[in-house]
Amino acid sequence: MSSDPNAQPLPPAEFALAEEEARRRREQVIALFRGRLHWAVLLALILGSAGAVVGYFSETPEYMGQGVIKVEAELDGPMIDRDTRDVPRMFGAFLERQAAAMTSSEVAKRAIASDLWRQTVSEAGIEPLTTGDFKDALGAEIPRNSTNIFLLFTHDDPVVAAAGANATLRAYQDFFRQQEAERTDRNIGELNTTIAQLKAEELSLINQINQRLKTDETIFRERLAALNDQLIARQEDLNDTEAAIASIRRAADSTTPGLEEFQDPTAMEYDEQIAEREASVDTYLAQGYGQNHRDVRNLRAEIKTLQALKQKYLEQVRSGDTPTFGNSQLMQLMAAAQKLKEQVDDLDREIESKDQMLNSISEFASQLGTVRDRTARAEDEKFRTIQNGKALRERVQIEAYAVEPDEPSNASKRAKLAAVGLVGGGGFGVALVVLVGLLDSRLRHAADAKNGMRDVRMLGVLPSLPDDLADPDQAERAAHAVNHIRTLLQISGPNTRVFSITGPAAGSGKSSLTVALGLSFSASGNKVLLIDGDIVGAGLTRRLGAVVNRPFDEVVKEDGRVSVEHLNEAESVAIRKGINLMDALIEIGALSRDEAEKLARRRSDASLGILDACNGADLEECVAETGIPRLHVLPVGNARPEDAGLLSPKTLRGMLSAAREAYDIVLVDTGPVLGSLEASMAGAEADGTVLIVSRGDSKGVASRSLEHLQSVGARVVGIVFNHALEADLGETSYGSMVSQDRRGQASIQVDPAAAARFGPLGSAVATYGPAAALRNSPQRGGNRELVGASSNGHAA
């Protein structure tokens, strides 16, 4: 059933079909184990136990030595607190690389060459491991969010496992330290090479600068600074001289000092010059020149000089000590000023020239600065590399050495393999039984027949009975099984009175079932005719010993030796003296003893049977009594196996029509379905067909037999399973129909004569049928008799 709550329920008809299909599949599975369950359990136990042992010991016990390596995160500086630092990114990848290094061939070689490993191998007395075998025994695990690496070494000796792990721990630590030392030396060497290259580049740049400056740059800059200082001094001197000249000239123009001094042209000229220079300073500063720039400093000096000259001039004016125009001092000042101007101009030109030279080496100076910065960084990195080298070599430490393990590391795996072996072996044992069941083409249980022919109902199950049946309980249960089948046939329909009984192969029990059903039907008050339709096997005729001979008087008439008068006379003598007709003919001299015996043998060779009844003979003339009330038999008669081809559906239909008129029940015993002609014809003409299969019959043959009957139009009313085991009988509705108390009190004994005549199954029905059925002797009357009787009550 679907677990989807939105799924639509199946219609009742489809649901019933699905349930029936599921039930059928369950029965098929159960049928595979029926009769084999004990073998399945036994094989499952034996093979499961064997599988568990094989699985457990298939894995050699292995011990795992485990050591721990602690890896410190690499730092940029040697003095950082290791307990509080952050683990750098990509540290997980670094741990993985170290784990790979631990299990590498190089570390394995070092471990094998160690004294610890050699001593352990010598003491343990084991064969030395190759590098490949040692490497295969190694393993490494990195726990989540951990800086530890667990080193594993597996061996079947716990001492060797621990020694292998410890030897590898030491080998890896030495290997790592060596690798780090080599890496540090390699890095320092690379840095030394870089620094040397930068130094050479720096020297080259310095040489190019000196060539441009035609001297050492430092000396050149010192000279330039000295020239600037000289220029400033000469400019200051010039400014002072010019101020003095101006003051003398203003004093010559005015001899009376007073308020007019503030409008003195010389003072005003000083003010204008000071204002111009202050404006120039502001302009330079706005353009980004610094306070220490040469031009700014010169302007500041000129402003200071002018302010001093102005102040000096004003003081002279106030004191009345202004020099007169044309004074010789003026002339001297003017000459000195002229000389100072020339010196200032010369210094300006020289400084400008040197500035241009400095500008020409600016690119080299920039490159030199860059080179010197790179050199400084390289030297700093070299210093840190040297300082960190030792710390880096110590970043890998052995946290814990391996100890000798107490238990195998693969104990759980061995247990799992044992469990797998147990399940696999047990499953294999069960699978063998299932395979045998699938490959077994024989019918072993009633369920096999029921599942293989599920479209036809199971009429009943018959037990397997011994030929010398003597157990009353067993006989009573067999009789009830036959009566059960007879009841189902009776209620199959009021017009179903002619039954064809057949099987897939000889020996299925067709004749035994026919006789037993005949006894059951007759005991229930029905007039029954048993027809032996198996012309080839003639099993019913042989079992009942049924022979229908022609009347002796007809044989005598056909011979023609005895006249009608002598024949009538002999009949009168026979009646009067109570002798048979043959003896009467001999007594009156109509026949000799030899002639009479020849006629008697001719009479025996000309017995009547099914072919005679089909070919127009009176049915009642061909039927023999069985000695059981209401039970009659139509034997094979004088027909031979090759005469089976003489039987036709039309003549058989006519004979069955006559039998249906004269009898309540007609049971036709035919040959095997697939091996006889009469089985197909009888099945097609009968009202119903009973297919009996026996334990040991082929499943395929039984199925094909059913299909063949259905293909010729036979109405198969059911199947009967014969020679069933006790377990099959226990599943039927009549398997335990007789109570234990009643069985213990049973006093009726099976009649040996009935068992010999009707077979075990028929004798069981006859024994537990009406008492008169066993008390009656074989009837001798008319022209229908059993072997050993002649017609009209006269001895043959």
Side-chain angles (χ1 to χ4, degrees):
M1 296 297 291
S2 173
S3 60
D4 185 1
N6 298 324
Q8 296 295 327
L10 291 174
E14 295 184 10
F15 181 80
L17 290 175
E19 289 291 326
E20 176 63 23
E21 181 65 19
R23 184 192 62 79
R24 186 182 66 83
R25 291 186 181 278
R26 287 194 300 270
E27 290 179 353
Q28 288 178 339
V29 173
I30 294 173
L32 292 175
F33 290 98
R34 184 174 284 109
R36 305 182 182 93
L37 183 59
H38 61 290
W39 287 109
V41 174
L42 183 61
L43 285 175
L45 290 175
I46 295 175
L47 297 181
S49 300
V53 172
V54 171
Y56 185 80
F57 288 101
S58 65
E59 183 75 10
T60 304
E62 294 180 346
Y63 296 87
M64 183 178 295
Q66 177 177 288
V68 182
I69 287 287
K70 183 175 181 60
V71 182
E72 297 289 345
E74 186 175 3
L75 301 176
D76 292 336
M79 304 305 293
I80 296 179
D81 184 3
R82 297 187 178 185
D83 295 332
T84 59
R85 66 165 181 251
D86 293 332
V87 175
R89 286 180 293 179
M90 303 304 292
F91 184 63
F94 176 77
L95 288 178
E96 292 178 359
R97 290 196 300 271
Q98 298 314 305
M102 288 182 188
T103 58
S104 64
S105 299
E106 179 62 27
V107 173
K109 289 179 182 177
R110 291 171 178 255
I112 291 174
S114 66
D115 294 337
L116 173 62
W117 177 254
R118 290 180 178 179
Q119 181 180 355
T120 303
V121 170
S122 176
E123 293 176 354
I126 62 174
E127 291 292 331
L129 298 181
T130 64
T131 302
D133 293 338
F134 193 95
K135 181 177 179 295
D136 293 339
L138 289 173
E141 295 179 357
I142 305 173
R144 184 180 179 87
N145 298 326
S146 175
T147 60
N148 292 340
I149 302 176
F150 289 85
L151 177 68
L152 312 174
F153 187 86
T154 304
H155 198 271
D156 55 9
D157 189 329
V159 176
V160 176
N166 291 331
T168 306
L169 287 174
R170 296 174 182 176
Y172 165 71
Q173 188 179 48
D174 294 340
F175 172 76
F176 178 81
R177 289 176 176 177
Q178 179 182 343
Q179 293 293 316
E180 283 298 321
E182 292 175 356
R183 186 169 71 91
T184 300
D185 294 341
R186 186 168 55 254
N187 291 340
I188 292 175
E190 292 175 356
L191 288 172
N192 286 333
T193 301
T194 302
I195 292 172
Q197 292 174 351
L198 291 173
K199 291 289 187 181
E201 186 176 354
E202 179 183 359
L203 182 59
S204 174
L205 290 172
I206 291 174
N207 290 333
Q208 293 182 48
I209 291 173
N210 292 340
Q211 289 176 3
R212 290 290 183 93
L213 298 177
K214 297 179 181 180
T215 184
D216 185 74
E217 182 184 3
T218 303
I219 297 174
F220 184 86
R221 290 187 180 275
E222 290 176 355
R223 290 177 180 176
L224 180 60
L227 289 174
N228 281 323
D229 292 340
Q230 292 177 17
L231 176 62
I232 293 172
R234 296 297 180 271
Q235 187 66 48
E236 289 178 354
D237 293 343
L238 177 61
N239 293 336
D240 292 342
T241 302
E242 288 178 346
I245 293 171
S247 176
I248 293 172
R249 287 177 176 174
R250 283 192 297 273
D253 294 337
S254 177
T255 59
T256 306
L259 293 176
E260 292 82 0
E261 68 185 52
F262 298 104
Q263 290 147 13
D264 184 81
T266 301
M268 294 177 64
E269 185 178 353
Y270 279 125
D271 291 335
E272 290 176 359
Q273 291 180 7
I274 291 172
E276 289 177 0
R277 283 163 175 75
E278 288 179 347
S280 298
V281 169
D282 294 337
T283 301
Y284 278 124
L285 293 177
Q287 292 177 354
Y289 290 88
Q291 295 286 353
N292 295 324
H293 191 270
R294 176 175 55 82
D295 293 339
V296 175
R297 292 200 309 270
N298 290 340
L299 289 172
R300 295 285 189 191
E302 290 177 4
I303 292 171
K304 185 177 180 181
T305 302
L306 290 173
Q307 289 176 345
L309 290 173
K310 175 185 176 183
Q311 185 65 28
K312 184 178 180 181
Y313 172 75
L314 291 177
E315 290 178 357
Q316 289 177 352
V317 171
R318 293 188 187 99
S319 64
D321 193 19
T322 302
T324 61
F325 193 76
N327 193 305
S328 60
Q329 184 181 2
L330 179 61
M331 297 302 292
Q332 292 176 356
L333 289 174
M334 292 178 64
Q338 181 62 35
K339 185 177 181 179
L340 289 171
K341 285 181 179 180
E342 292 175 357
Q343 290 177 357
V344 169
D345 292 339
D346 291 339
L347 289 172
D348 278 338
R349 284 191 296 272
E350 187 175 359
I351 290 173
E352 184 178 359
S353 174
K354 290 187 180 296
D355 285 339
Q356 291 177 355
M357 293 177 69
L358 285 176
N359 289 334
S360 66
I361 68 167
S362 60
E363 182 178 353
F364 294 103
S366 176
Q367 294 178 6
L368 181 60
T370 302
V371 170
R372 286 174 175 170
D373 289 341
R374 291 172 58 193
T375 302
R377 289 195 299 271
E379 290 178 343
D380 182 63
E381 185 177 355
K382 176 182 175 181
F383 175 78
R384 286 187 287 106
T385 301
I386 295 173
Q387 294 296 318
N388 290 338
K390 183 178 180 181
L392 292 176
R393 287 191 293 273
E394 298 298 327
R395 68 186 300 200
V396 167
Q397 298 291 334
I398 298 177
E399 183 78 4
Y401 283 98
V403 296
E404 182 179 339
D406 297 330
E407 296 181 355
S409 60
N410 60 345
S412 60
K413 183 178 180 181
R414 299 181 78 195
K416 291 179 181 178
L417 289 175
V420 171
L422 176 64
V423 174
F428 183 70
V430 175
L432 282 178
V433 174
V434 172
L435 181 62
V436 170
L438 293 174
L439 296 179
D440 191 356
S441 61
R442 296 172 297 170
L443 295 171
R444 289 184 173 272
H445 301 277
D448 296 338
K450 186 176 181 181
N451 293 329
M453 295 174 280
R454 62 181 184 274
D455 295 333
V456 182
R457 69 172 176 171
M458 177 70 70
L459 291 176
V461 178
L462 300 177
S464 181
L465 301 175
D467 292 336
D468 54 345
L469 179 62
D471 184 359
D473 292 343
Q474 196 175 17
E476 185 175 5
R477 185 163 56 177
H480 187 78
V482 174
N483 293 331
H484 178 82
I485 297 171
R486 182 257 304 168
T487 302
L488 293 179
L489 292 178
Q490 284 179 317
I491 64 177
S492 61
N495 298 323
T496 305
R497 296 189 294 115
V498 178
F499 296 98
S500 168
I501 300 176
T502 186
S508 297
K510 308 180 304 302
S511 300
S512 296
L513 179 61
T514 302
V515 173
L517 284 176
L519 291 169
S520 179
F521 274 113
S522 63
S524 63
N526 295 282
K527 184 179 180 183
V528 182
L529 175 63
L530 306 180
I531 300 178
D532 190 353
D534 185 4
I535 296 177
V536 176
L540 185 63
T541 299
R542 289 198 308 272
R543 181 174 293 279
L544 296 178
V547 178
V548 178
N549 293 323
R550 297 176 61 188
F552 189 74
D553 56 349
E554 291 184 6
V555 176
V556 172
K557 289 179 183 179
E558 288 180 358
D559 182 68
R561 297 181 186 183
V562 179
S563 63
V564 176
E565 291 78 6
H566 286 160
L567 183 59
N568 291 332
E569 181 184 358
E571 289 179 349
S572 299
V573 172
I575 294 172
R576 184 176 65 254
K577 293 185 177 183
I579 59 176
N580 60 41
L581 181 61
M582 186 180 70
D583 292 338
L585 287 172
I586 295 173
E587 184 175 334
I588 66 174
L591 289 175
S592 65
R593 174 66 64 179
D594 292 338
E595 290 175 339
E597 290 179 353
K598 287 180 181 180
L599 291 176
R601 286 194 295 271
R602 185 186 302 175
R603 174 177 178 264
S604 299
D605 294 338
S607 59
L608 300 177
I610 184 173
L611 289 180
D612 300 291
C614 289
N615 291 328
D618 186 4
L619 178 62
E620 291 300 321
E621 295 294 331
C622 300
V623 172
E625 301 287 347
T626 63
I628 302 297
R630 299 179 296 278
L631 181 62
H632 308 80
V633 59
L634 174 61
V636 170
N638 210 34
R640 293 169 296 178
E642 57 268 23
D643 295 333
L646 301 177
L647 193 64
S648 68
K650 181 179 180 180
T651 57
L652 180 62
R653 186 182 309 118
M655 186 270 292
L656 291 178
S657 178
R660 186 181 286 106
E661 294 294 330
Y663 296 90
D664 299 323
I665 297 295
V666 178
L667 302 176
V668 183
D669 177 27
T670 70
V673 175
L674 301 179
S676 65
L677 298 175
E678 58 271 24
S680 300
M681 288 186 286
E685 300 301 332
D687 299 332
T689 298
V690 177
L691 179 64
I692 180 172
V693 296
S694 178
R695 182 168 59 89
D697 287 350
S698 170
K699 296 178 182 178
V701 173
S703 297
R704 289 196 299 273
S705 299
L706 176 62
E707 294 173 357
H708 177 76
L709 290 173
Q710 293 173 339
S711 67
V712 299
R715 175 176 172 252
V716 181
V717 295
I719 57 176
V720 176
F721 187 77
N722 194 17
H723 299 307
L725 298 174
E726 189 70 23
D728 293 316
L729 293 174
E731 295 179 1
T732 62
S733 60
Y734 47 86
S736 57
M737 48 79 59
V738 181
S739 66
Q740 294 296 330
D741 294 339
R742 184 179 175 190
R743 288 177 183 175
Q745 299 171 357
S747 59
I748 300 178
Q749 299 296 321
V750 177
D751 186 0
R757 183 180 177 194
F758 299 125
L761 186 62
S763 66
V765 177
T767 301
Y768 286 93
L774 293 179
R775 290 195 300 268
N776 288 344
S777 60
Q779 296 180 5
R780 307 169 188 266
N783 61 350
R784 299 178 301 280
E785 55 191 283
L786 299 178
V787 174
S790 63
S791 62
N792 298 325
H794 300 291

